[in-house]
């Protein structure tokens, strides 16, 4: 347990992988997974985890760093139109990095508590807002399955209203694009790359199975931090 | 006007013959490919849209054209309809095709690609085509049919019209996603051919060189569009109606250029399901392979020729007196 907390804290620190500063520019790097690629089987296959982490997430990071550098240059030169032009790339790649960093923390192997329902304040909040865990899971699954194209489905916390919400975002938009007060507790990637090799086009099956490796402890920690 | 008859599944073999006796052979194992289900269509409407029961993977379905004698057949059947033998057959469930159909509906069918599913190997594997066409494309068709079952409002459109109507000028109806994806995938299969790639010729090449500078430049633009598209979507070579030139356009999710009245010439599916099994996350390689080995410039030339009937590309040659 202590070891797990240590790992969590370590990966939280490295989480957004703040690494070299070049000319005052902070770039990001790929965070390590606190578990093996194959540790989430059979819910998510090792092949998917490896590709997802090493290829997709890494690509977002590479492109984000590139866009940041270009933005930095454009800002120094005062080139407003380039600054604005780069916003799309930053939102997409930066969002990809942010979202996936959260996603890795949302997952944990079964033997480390994956799938265990939350106890404590988050559990109470879920029962209050949604009726039961099953109702919440059903809602998230149906919204996730209904996302057209690529996107994410989130369980978020509205900081101001102290309410739990289920939201979907398109492409790599982070949850804050749906509301500036929203804090992501759980995010599930419903881009096809997250499940295609294993579940083919049956997204509902993926959504049903991913709950077995969801790390509610992390979600509870975030919740308790915002709503003590 | 004949009272329209409510007909359940009747195998095609019973329509082919003009003689009434032939219909009695419905329970003979005919090599039926289609099972047409008619809804109560008043005879003046000759818009027929068929649902196809898949017997084999190869085969075609008429999306919006019907044998010209369809209305005649309806007339014939409405007479035979009273025949008790037909009633019996219905009860016995002797019909080929769907036994479960209790409601009579006719909508859109799944059109097969104009080549075998393994014809595009090794550039696009049979497995990908089986999944992409057999599951995704079919899923869109079935989803669309299910949505259209609910009421009559969108009944009777051709697929092109349906896409434009459900797009609703930027406020898409729920049916748009399915309708547009069916259209897009039909177009995509026809944009590829075994032994494709290479270069276009003659008029199409001239037009590309005129609008892009060179074919290489066009290819670069096309690949760049594929790589910079965020999320799921499509990359198109379109003939723009207003600007009267070719352009590379990328669209998100299910949107396609016909909603803006442009004329698509070729398309590339960059939804992840199109390339993930073959190329994993390497979208660039997939797009390059498409350009070099899969794209059907023959189909593109045919579409271009048709497009020129709608868009005036050249300056009129006014003879000097």
């Amino acid at each position: 347990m202590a070891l797990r907390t240590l790992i969590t804290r370590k990966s939280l620190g490295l989480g957004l992988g703040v690494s070299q500063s070049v000319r005052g520019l902070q770039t990001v790097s790929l965070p390590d997974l606190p578990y093996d690629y194959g540790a989430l089987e059979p819910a998510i296959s090792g092949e998917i985890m490896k590709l997802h982490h090493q290829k997709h997430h890494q690509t977002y990071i590479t492109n984000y760093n590139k866009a940041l550098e270009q933005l930095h240059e454009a800002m120094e030169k005062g080139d407003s139109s380039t600054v604005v032009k780069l916003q799309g790339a930053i939102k997409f790649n930066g969002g990809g990095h942010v979202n996936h960093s959260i996603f890795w923390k949302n997952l944990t192997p079964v033997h480390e508590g994956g799938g265990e329902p939350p106890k404590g304040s988050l559990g109470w909040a879920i029962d209050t807002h949604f009726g039961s865990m099953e109702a919440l899971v059903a809602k998230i699954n149906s919204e996730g399955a209904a996302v057209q194209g690529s996107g994410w489905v989130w369980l978020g916390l509205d900081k101001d209203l102290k309410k739990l919400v289920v939201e979907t975002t398109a492409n790599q938009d982070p949850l804050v694009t749906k509301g500036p007060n929203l804090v992501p507790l759980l995010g599930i990637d419903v881009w096809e790359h997250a499940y295609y090799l294993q579940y083919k086009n049956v997204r509902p099956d993926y959504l049903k199975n991913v709950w077995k490796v969801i790390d509610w402890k992390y979600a509870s920690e975030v919740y308790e931090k915002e709503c003590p | 006007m004949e009272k329209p008859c409510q007909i359940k599944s009747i195998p095609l073999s019973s329509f082919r013959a003009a003689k009434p006796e032939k219909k009695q052979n419905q329970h003979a194992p005919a090599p039926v490919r289609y099972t047409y289900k008619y809804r109560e269509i008043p005879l003046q409407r000759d818009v027929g849209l068929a649902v196809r029961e898949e017997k084999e993977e190869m085969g075609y379905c008429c999306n919006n054209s019907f044998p010209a004698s369809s209305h005649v057949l309806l007339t014939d059947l409405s007479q035979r309809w009273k025949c008790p033998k037909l009633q019996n057959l219905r009860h016995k469930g002797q019909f080929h095709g769907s036994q479960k159909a209790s409601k009579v509906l006719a909508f859109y069918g799944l059109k097969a690609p104009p080549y075998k599913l393994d014809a595009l190997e090794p550039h696009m594997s049979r497995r990908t085509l089986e999944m992409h066409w057999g599951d995704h494309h079919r899923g869109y068709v079935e989803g669309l049919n299910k949505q259209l079952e609910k009421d009559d409002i969108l009944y009777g459109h051709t697929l092109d019209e349906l896409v434009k109507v459900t797009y609703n000028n930027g406020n898409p109806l729920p049916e748009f996603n399915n309708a547009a994806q069916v259209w897009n995938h039909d177009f995509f299969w026809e944009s590829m051919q075994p032994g494709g790639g290479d270069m276009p010729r003659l008029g199409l090449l001239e037009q590309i060189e005129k609008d892009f500078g060179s074919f290489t430049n066009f290819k670069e633009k096309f690949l760049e569009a594929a790589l910079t598209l965020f999320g799921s979507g499509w990359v198109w070579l379109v003939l723009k109606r207003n600007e009267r030139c070719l352009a590379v356009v990328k669209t998100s999710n299910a949107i396609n250029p016909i909603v803006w009245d442009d004329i698509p010439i070729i398309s590339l599916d960059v939804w992840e399901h199109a390339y993930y099994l073959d190329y994993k996350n390497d979208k660039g390689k997939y797009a390059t392979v498409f350009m070099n080995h899969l794209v059907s410039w023959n189909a593109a030339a045919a579409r271009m020729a048709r497009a020129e009937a709608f868009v005036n590309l050249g300056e009129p040659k006014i003879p000097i007196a």
Side-chain angles (χ1 to χ4, degrees):
Chain A
M1 185 62 199
L3 182 64
R4 211 190 158 279
T5 326
L6 177 66
I7 294 172
T8 320
R9 219 178 281 137
K10 213 168 89 170
S11 49
L12 270 173
L14 289 175
L16 287 172
V18 175
S19 62
Q20 49 313 29
S21 304
V22 182
R23 299 189 306 271
L25 178 70
Q26 298 276 21
T27 53
V28 298
S29 66
L30 188 66
D32 286 328
L33 294 186
Y35 38 80
D36 284 334
Y37 289 129
L40 300 180
E41 302 252 10
I44 304 181
S45 73
E47 194 191 1
I48 290 185
M49 287 304 293
K50 191 161 174 223
L51 278 169
H52 206 171
H53 183 244
Q54 285 182 352
K55 294 269 154 64
H56 289 274
H57 193 174
Q58 182 61 65
T59 308
Y60 290 130
I61 284 174
T62 315
N63 292 340
Y64 178 56
N65 288 339
K66 214 174 2 166
L68 274 185
E69 274 194 45
Q70 291 173 336
L71 179 70
H72 192 74
E73 280 174 27
M75 288 203 296
E76 283 183 343
K77 278 194 275 179
D79 186 355
S80 311
S81 56
T82 309
V83 168
V84 175
K85 197 176 68 159
L86 286 167
Q87 297 308 314
I90 289 180
K91 183 177 175 199
F92 181 69
N93 293 302
H97 169 60
V98 166
N99 293 342
H100 283 89
S101 303
I102 299 173
F103 187 49
W104 307 136
K105 290 185 225 135
N106 282 147
L107 300 172
T108 191
V110 176
H111 61 82
E112 296 217 9
E116 263 177 44
K119 307 167 184 64
S121 53
L122 181 57
W124 280 111
I126 289 177
D127 286 340
T128 318
H129 286 120
F130 299 100
S132 67
M133 250 312 257
E134 288 74 34
L136 171 65
V137 168
K139 180 152 195 226
I140 291 184
N141 286 354
S142 71
E143 301 237 345
V147 170
Q148 280 174 13
S150 312
W152 289 73
V153 61
W154 302 94
L155 171 64
L157 167 67
D158 189 326
K159 266 191 303 199
D160 289 350
L161 300 177
K162 299 277 188 276
K163 228 168 69 99
L164 290 176
V165 292
V166 170
E167 277 288 355
T168 58
T169 54
N171 294 347
Q172 292 294 355
D173 297 350
L175 184 59
V176 291
T177 55
K178 280 284 166 112
N181 306 316
L182 295 179
V183 174
L185 300 175
L186 274 189
I188 302 182
D189 190 353
V190 289
W191 278 63
E192 284 171 328
H193 64 236
Y195 60 90
Y196 206 73
L197 291 176
Q198 189 178 354
Y199 294 95
K200 305 294 185 287
N201 71 321
V202 193
R203 196 190 278 176
D205 275 358
Y206 159 69
L207 286 169
K208 217 169 40 176
N209 285 320
V210 79
W211 291 103
K212 300 187 188 134
V213 288
I214 289 282
D215 189 1
W216 282 106
K217 287 199 209 79
Y218 171 74
S220 297
E221 281 169 22
V222 178
Y223 181 77
E224 272 147 30
K225 205 162 60 132
E226 297 290 340
C227 294
Chain B
M1 193 194 100
E2 215 78 37
K3 183 186 175 206
C5 45
Q6 188 142 26
I7 306 170
K8 303 228 158 92
S9 298
I10 298 181
L12 181 61
S13 53
S14 64
F15 300 150
R16 293 222 186 274
K19 306 182 187 73
E21 313 82 67
K22 204 62 189 292
K23 140 193 96 60
Q24 305 302 327
N25 289 333
Q26 271 151 352
H27 45 280
V32 173
R33 283 223 183 148
Y34 303 83
T35 301
Y36 286 91
K37 302 180 206 174
Y38 292 92
R39 83 175 286 165
E40 289 198 33
I41 308 172
L43 282 177
Q44 287 94 339
R45 282 178 108 163
D46 57 352
V47 174
L49 309 154
V51 168
R52 183 178 96 192
E53 299 300 308
E54 297 281 87
K55 302 289 176 207
E56 303 157 19
E57 283 169 2
M58 298 278 288
Y60 279 91
C61 176
C62 325
N63 274 348
N64 45 30
S65 65
F66 242 48
S69 50
S70 57
H71 59 286
V72 173
L73 295 171
L74 277 176
T75 324
D76 286 342
L77 285 160
S78 64
Q79 285 165 352
R80 298 174 204 161
W81 178 49
K82 296 171 195 116
C83 170
K85 277 233 174 106
L86 184 59
Q87 308 276 350
N88 283 342
L89 284 164
R90 206 183 297 150
H91 289 311
K92 277 189 208 161
Q94 290 283 344
F95 297 88
H96 298 288
S98 167
Q99 311 283 335
K100 58 188 185 299
S102 54
K103 212 169 159 215
V104 180
L105 294 161
F107 294 115
Y108 300 90
L110 179 66
K111 208 162 156 189
Y115 35 77
K116 283 206 162 92
L117 293 186
D118 58 3
L120 299 180
E121 296 261 16
H123 313 294
M124 191 176 274
S125 65
R126 182 178 60 92
R127 187 102 178 78
T128 300
L129 273 167
E130 277 175 359
M131 292 239 46
H132 199 176
W133 176 72
D135 288 333
H136 288 271
H137 191 179
R138 188 184 308 237
Y140 289 127
V141 170
E142 289 176 356
L144 178 64
N145 287 337
K146 239 196 292 250
Q147 281 174 318
L148 294 178
E149 267 176 21
K150 296 190 194 122
D151 53 40
D152 238 349
I153 301 175
L154 294 168
Y155 182 77
H157 293 292
T158 63
L159 197 55
D160 275 40
E161 288 172 2
L162 186 68
V163 171
K164 291 190 207 170
V165 161
T166 50
Y167 183 66
N168 203 14
N169 286 315
N171 225 341
L173 305 176
E175 292 83 358
F176 174 71
N177 191 52
N178 284 328
Q181 283 292 73
V182 173
W183 194 100
N184 291 341
H185 282 90
D186 282 343
F187 190 84
F188 179 52
W189 304 133
E190 288 162 10
S191 301
M192 296 192 289
Q193 66 172 72
D198 202 19
M199 283 184 49
R201 283 171 313 188
L202 305 174
L204 181 54
L205 184 60
E206 277 176 27
Q207 190 64 35
I208 288 180
E209 287 177 345
K210 182 161 155 239
D211 291 326
F212 292 98
S214 69
F215 180 70
T216 323
N217 198 16
F218 152 70
K219 210 158 130 177
E220 264 176 42
K221 275 225 155 60
F222 196 86
L223 295 177
E224 190 205 333
L227 284 170
T228 56
L229 178 74
F230 295 148
S232 308
W234 300 76
V235 184
W236 308 82
L237 171 64
V238 289
L239 179 62
K240 285 197 169 281
R241 227 184 259 256
N242 290 333
E243 292 88 337
R244 293 195 279 168
C245 64
L246 289 172
V248 168
V249 161
K250 42 186 185 177
T251 59
S252 287
N253 292 356
I255 301 186
N256 80 43
I258 66 172
V259 302
W260 303 307
D261 235 8
D262 291 332
I263 305 175
I265 306 291
I266 56 173
S267 78
L268 172 63
D269 189 354
V270 284
W271 281 62
E272 282 177 326
H273 62 238
Y275 60 90
Y276 213 75
L277 290 176
D278 292 336
Y279 300 98
K280 304 293 185 296
N281 77 317
D282 203 345
K283 192 162 54 164
K285 185 147 172 258
Y286 161 67
T288 315
V289 165
F290 171 81
M291 260 298 145
N292 292 340
H293 298 287
L294 286 174
V295 63
S296 171
W297 289 114
N298 292 331
R303 290 165 181 160
M304 191 67 187
R306 186 176 175 274
E308 286 179 17
F310 295 90
V311 180
N312 184 5
L313 287 172
E315 289 298 319
K317 285 195 174 61
I318 303 172
I320 305 168

